C-alpha cells in the first residue's frame, strides 16, 4: 500500500473520532515515516489475522495516538503503569508474551501489535485488556461482521 493511500485511509477512519484526546490534524502535520510504517504494519497484521483493520487502528489511536509513550501515571509509584502504542502494563505484557510465545521488547510497538493480534484471537480476556478503547473502537472482529455482532 502506498503511503498516500494509507494516510487517506487513516484520515477516513479517524476523522469521526470526537472522543479520543489529541488532534488528528496535529498528528498528521507531524507524522513520521516510522509512524506510517507502524500503521501499515498494524493494518497488515490485523488484516491477515481476521481482525477488522479499521477497528484495530482506532484501538491504537485511542490508546496512544501512535506515540510510543507512557500512560496511566501512578502518583504513588512515580512511574507510568502502561507503555507503548498499545499501552501495555509490564506484568500483562510478560504473561501474554509467555502464553503466546511472542518474544520481543516490552516497549517495541511491533511486538505490541503482534501480541495484541494474538491476544484478541486467543486470550480469554481478549479485547477486555483494552476495556475503554476497545469499546470506543468497536469490538467486532472481521469475521463476525455479517452476523450482526
Amino acid at each position: 500500500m502506498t503511503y498516500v493511500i494509507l494516510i487517506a485511509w487513516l484520515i477516513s477512519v479517524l476523522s469521526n473520532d470526537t472522543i479520543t484526546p489529541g488532534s488528528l490534524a496535529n498528528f498528521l502535520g507531524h507524522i513520521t515515516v516510522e509512524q506510517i510504517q507502524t500503521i501499515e504494519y498494524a493494518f497488515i497484521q490485523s488484516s491477515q489475522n481476521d481482525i477488522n483493520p479499521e477497528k484495530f487502528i482506532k484501538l491504537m489511536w485511542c490508546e496512544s495516538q501512535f506515540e510510543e509513550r507512557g500512560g496511566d501515571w501512578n502518583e504513588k509509584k512515580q512511574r507510568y503503569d502502561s507503555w507503548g502504542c498499545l499501552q501495555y502494563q509490564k506484568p500483562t505484557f510478560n504473561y501474554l508474551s509467555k502464553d503466546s510465545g511472542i518474544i520481543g521488547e516490552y516497549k517495541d510497538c511491533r511486538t505490541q501489535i503482534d501480541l495484541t493480534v494474538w491476544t484478541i484471537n486467543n486470550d480469554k480476556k481478549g479485547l477486555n485488556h483494552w476495556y475503554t478503547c476497545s469499546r470506543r473502537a468497536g469490538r467486532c472482529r472481521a469475521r463476525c461482521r455479517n452476523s450482526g455482532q
Side-chain angles (χ1 to χ4, degrees):
M1 179 180 298
T2 68
Y3 290 162
V4 173
I5 293 171
L6 182 67
I7 291 171
W9 175 81
L10 182 68
I11 292 167
S12 73
V13 168
L14 299 178
S15 61
N16 293 326
D17 183 346
T18 58
I19 300 171
T20 301
S23 165
L24 179 59
N26 186 53
F27 168 74
L28 292 170
H30 297 93
I31 194 169
T32 66
V33 171
E34 183 179 351
Q35 287 169 321
I36 294 169
Q37 291 170 340
T38 297
I39 292 164
E40 180 181 44
Y41 184 77
F43 179 93
I44 291 167
Q45 291 304 103
S46 59
S47 296
Q48 291 177 347
N49 288 281
D50 200 26
I51 297 169
N52 182 313
E54 289 183 17
K55 292 178 181 180
F56 194 80
I57 293 299
K58 287 178 181 179
L59 176 70
M60 290 180 67
W61 174 252
C62 178
E63 286 293 340
S64 67
Q65 294 77 55
F66 309 112
E67 296 286 337
E68 295 184 34
R69 60 175 169 73
D72 299 330
W73 177 256
N74 186 319
E75 191 65 39
K76 186 176 181 180
K77 296 178 184 177
Q78 292 293 298
R79 69 171 194 219
Y80 291 106
D81 284 338
S82 301
W83 191 269
C85 64
L86 282 149
Q87 293 293 293
Y88 273 89
Q89 293 187 6
K90 185 72 168 166
T92 304
F93 178 89
N94 287 342
Y95 91 75
L96 289 171
S97 181
K98 182 179 177 186
D99 286 354
S100 68
I102 295 171
I103 307 299
E105 293 296 319
Y106 165 60
K107 293 183 178 182
D108 178 68
C109 193
R110 288 182 181 225
T111 302
Q112 288 194 7
I113 290 168
D114 291 341
L115 195 56
T116 301
V117 165
W118 181 90
T119 300
I120 291 169
N121 284 327
N122 299 289
D123 183 73
K124 65 181 176 191
K125 194 172 176 185
L127 279 167
N128 284 324
H129 286 286
W130 302 272
Y131 186 84
T132 299
C133 287
S134 70
R135 279 148 182 79
R136 286 182 187 170
R139 298 183 48 80
C140 184
R141 291 178 48 219
R143 69 174 172 228
C144 66
R145 182 179 306 145
N146 295 328
S147 67
Q149 295 178 357

